[in-house]
Amino acid sequence: MTEKSKVIFGNVISDKDYRSSVKSKKSYIKKYGDDSNVNYGFDVVDNEVIGPLLGVKNVEVSSKAPVSDMDRENGIIVGNIRMGFGHYRISMAMASYAHHLGYTPYWMDLNSYKETTCTKVIGAQNDLYSLGSRLSKNPIFNKLVWEPMNYEGFRALSYNAKDQKNAELMAPVYKNVPKDIPVIATHAWPAQAAVHAGMKYVVNAIPDNWPMALHLSEGSVHTIQCKNAYMGYRVLNGMNKKSVSKPMPKDALVYTGHYIDYELVSNIEKDCDMRIARKKNGDPMRFLLTIGGAGAQKEIFAEIIKHLIPSIKDGKAVLYVNVGDYRNVWDELVSEIDGMKSLATEHMNDWKDTLEFAEKALDPSNFITGIHGFYHKNIFEAVYATNLLMRSCDVLVTKPSELAFYPVPKLFIKRVGKHEMWGAIHSAEIGDGTLECRDIPHILQMVDQFLETDLLNEMCESIVLNKKMGIYDGAKKVVELAVKLKEGKN
């Protein structure tokens, strides 16, 4: 196995930081064991939720599984983790375009193999990240701990050195997976693990718009959604403290554009035309509130709902509220907000009902009113419900996470982690989203801007223009790149 914690793209890691990396790996081995000698097999099964929509097949890894067949000609592995909803959502975009282009997307969630050391390590870090996200509501913790860690702590090459060493413990899940099937990873760990395991063609699809060494996986080809981030990664800007870093090799870095599903990209003009028509006709404006995987936005949602209830009663607004897999958030909102229950229609853990609602909402003859709440226990349903509802909504209300890159008018609420700040900046610059509104008064001001001005139409015009420029073609280009690597055409 190549040592990747001592030198990163030609940048030598100090002996102190290297020893810290080794210590980190030993600590995880002490807690969770070292299964590098376990002969993990895998089963391939249809994904019951997004399989019918995106052709996805799950790869289930365990020591008791046989070594199943995979399509070595047209298969593409989408390597991911469930850490929040973002990496799942980006993975769905990759699977969508792989399916559209005639390939078979194999879903490998490295946080779902409970028997393995890999999943135990990722699960422990996921629990810490989710806790930090929730604690970030405390302004002192946010200022002194959370934002510095997400902005500068994860930025350092020394952090990547530690991740690379820990990722050696994740490699065994790829043991019997055919090494010539391309891997598209939507988090650095599946990419690092794939490289350590000897997978030959690995694309590391980097999320966010703030360059951090956290996302590096030397040995893979890195793809970037935004030009600003591309420039930062090209020279590893600020990742070696005040020293000038050695740059990334030219063939290790590719700008692609935003990672967006084929189903969304192909319908941009149609969906924007419908938004403009609803605005012109005086139909209720449809706001989609979607909570993230850490469930940290409930209080902000409550204030938006309270503000919009008079407009909902007057037929000027409609609310879709997707609480993901946090049923308690919906129940608390309904119990705490006066007048919400009488306006609410619940779509609770009923995937067929959600699919039918999303389809009907696209029909201009169906007049949508009131507040519609969506909850799904299944993680695939919880994440993909937002994608389905996005097409028929007018305004997506979200923190500036991975959803900052989606082709729908967006109102950005307060970030969870300073790295997310740049997603809102980028979106505002290309005209498909607002500035980040960091407090309730500014959020409500922006809600009124959508209701009372032509802001919605302006964003729709920008989205259509952005599509013509190829800004939303990132997932398509990533899939094409993965295929070209295998064909030797890169």
Side-chain angles (χ1 to χ4, degrees):
M1 182 180 293
T2 303
E3 176 62 79
K4 296 186 177 297
S5 297
K6 288 186 174 182
V7 181
I8 300 171
F9 293 117
N11 295 279
V12 178
I13 302 302
S14 70
D15 290 341
K16 178 182 176 182
D17 288 330
Y18 176 72
R19 288 194 299 271
S20 178
S21 300
V22 173
K23 182 179 178 181
S24 177
K25 179 183 176 181
K26 288 181 178 178
S27 176
Y28 279 121
I29 291 174
K30 185 176 181 180
K31 288 181 180 179
Y32 305 119
D34 183 353
D35 58 358
S36 57
N37 292 321
V38 177
N39 189 38
Y40 288 118
F42 63 90
D43 282 324
V44 175
V45 299
D46 291 335
N47 185 300
E48 295 180 357
V49 177
I50 58 174
L53 300 169
L54 307 177
V56 171
K57 296 181 180 295
N58 290 348
V59 179
E60 298 180 349
V61 173
S62 78
S63 60
K64 298 178 181 179
V67 178
S68 299
D69 292 331
M70 298 179 79
D71 185 348
R72 297 178 67 169
E73 290 297 318
N74 293 304
I76 294 179
I77 293 169
V78 181
N80 57 71
I81 61 172
R82 190 251 160 123
M83 182 171 281
F85 288 170
H87 304 289
Y88 256 39
R89 195 179 310 283
I90 296 171
S91 295
M92 289 173 182
M94 302 303 176
S96 169
Y97 256 108
H99 179 60
H100 169 66
L101 294 172
Y103 301 102
T104 301
Y106 292 105
W107 191 274
M108 285 193 69
D109 175 3
L110 272 61
N111 198 17
S112 68
Y113 309 137
K114 295 182 180 180
E115 177 187 351
T116 68
T117 300
C118 170
T119 291
K120 293 171 184 176
V121 171
I122 293 174
Q125 297 191 64
N126 187 25
D127 290 343
L128 283 174
Y129 192 84
S130 295
L131 176 62
S133 293
R134 295 191 296 273
L135 291 176
S136 68
K137 291 185 286 186
N138 181 304
I140 297 176
F141 178 84
N142 191 53
K143 181 178 180 180
L144 298 180
V145 179
W146 193 241
E147 290 225 327
M149 175 57 69
N150 277 276
Y151 202 64
E152 293 295 344
F154 294 157
R155 192 183 184 193
L157 286 171
S158 57
Y159 192 93
N160 182 255
K162 186 175 293 185
D163 266 4
Q164 281 282 12
K165 182 57 65 174
N166 292 334
E168 293 173 6
L169 297 172
M170 303 174 191
V173 300
Y174 290 101
K175 179 165 286 187
N176 283 303
V177 175
K179 299 299 183 284
D180 57 350
I181 295 182
V183 176
I184 296 172
T186 59
H187 187 281
W189 295 337
Q192 293 165 359
V195 172
H196 284 301
M199 300 300 290
K200 296 180 180 179
Y201 315 110
V202 183
V203 178
N204 178 25
I206 295 178
D208 300 329
N209 193 23
W210 173 242
M212 296 187 289
L214 162 72
H215 294 305
L216 298 175
S217 175
E218 189 168 5
S220 64
V221 177
H222 300 66
T223 62
I224 313 293
Q225 296 190 85
C226 308
K227 290 289 188 178
N228 170 64
Y230 175 85
M231 291 305 301
Y233 278 108
R234 184 162 181 158
V235 297
L236 301 180
N237 187 48
M239 298 183 192
N240 203 11
K241 297 182 179 179
K242 293 184 178 180
S243 300
V244 175
S245 302
K246 292 186 177 180
M248 291 182 69
K250 182 180 179 181
D251 59 359
L253 188 67
V254 179
Y255 164 77
T256 59
H258 301 187
Y259 311 136
I260 310 296
D261 314 57
Y262 166 76
E263 292 76 16
L264 294 171
V265 175
S266 62
N267 285 292
I268 281 176
E269 292 88 351
K270 179 181 178 181
D271 294 343
C272 283
D273 285 345
M274 292 299 298
R275 293 178 182 117
I276 293 170
R278 284 192 290 269
K279 178 75 173 176
K280 181 179 179 180
N281 296 335
D283 294 345
M285 183 169 289
R286 302 171 179 182
F287 291 85
L288 168 57
L289 278 61
T290 180
I291 202 159
Q297 296 94 36
K298 193 202 86 174
E299 290 78 8
I300 297 174
F301 275 23
E303 294 302 320
I304 295 172
I305 294 169
K306 291 175 186 176
H307 182 74
L308 280 173
I309 280 180
S311 296
I312 295 169
K313 290 180 177 178
D314 290 342
K316 297 178 180 178
V318 167
L319 268 179
Y320 304 162
V321 183
N322 181 21
V323 296
D325 55 359
Y326 289 88
R327 173 64 192 256
N328 63 298
V329 172
W330 173 259
D331 292 338
E332 290 166 10
L333 288 170
V334 171
S335 66
E336 294 171 7
I337 300 174
D338 291 339
M340 181 175 174
K341 187 173 183 179
S342 63
L343 296 168
T345 301
E346 296 186 341
H347 308 265
M348 298 288 113
N349 208 32
D350 187 337
W351 186 236
K352 181 180 178 182
D353 175 58
T354 298
L355 289 170
E356 290 175 352
F357 177 89
E359 185 66 28
K360 289 178 180 178
L362 291 170
D363 185 343
S365 67
N366 285 318
F367 196 71
I368 308 295
T369 61
I371 301 173
H372 294 265
F374 298 86
Y375 152 79
H376 297 91
K377 182 178 180 180
N378 180 283
I379 179 62
F380 292 98
E381 295 172 359
V383 175
Y384 202 67
T386 291
N387 292 44
L388 293 172
L389 296 168
M390 195 184 299
R391 286 195 55 202
S392 71
C393 82
D394 294 313
V395 182
L396 172 64
V397 181
T398 178
K399 67 187 183 76
S401 56
E402 84 293 340
L403 285 170
F405 302 93
Y406 276 67
V408 57
K410 295 173 291 288
L411 192 168
F412 292 119
I413 61 176
K414 185 180 179 182
R415 63 185 182 246
V416 181
K418 195 173 180 180
H419 63 295
E420 293 184 342
M421 172 177 71
W422 291 91
I425 292 172
H426 171 73
S427 180
E429 286 179 335
I430 66 172
D432 66 3
T434 69
L435 301 170
E436 179 191 350
C437 301
R438 299 180 186 175
D439 57 37
I440 298 301
H442 284 94
I443 292 171
L444 301 184
Q445 179 193 47
M446 201 62 78
V447 169
D448 292 340
Q449 283 287 301
F450 279 106
L451 287 170
E452 299 169 4
T453 73
D454 289 331
L455 182 59
L456 179 77
N457 293 1
E458 294 168 8
M459 287 191 182
C460 286
E461 291 168 0
S462 294
I463 290 167
V464 172
L465 178 61
N466 293 340
K467 180 186 176 181
K468 292 178 180 177
M469 294 189 292
I471 286 177
Y472 305 120
D473 287 343
K476 175 176 180 286
K477 291 180 179 177
V478 169
V479 171
E480 291 172 340
L481 173 61
V483 174
K484 288 178 182 178
L485 287 177
K486 184 176 181 179
E487 294 174 348
K489 297 179 180 179
N490 186 46

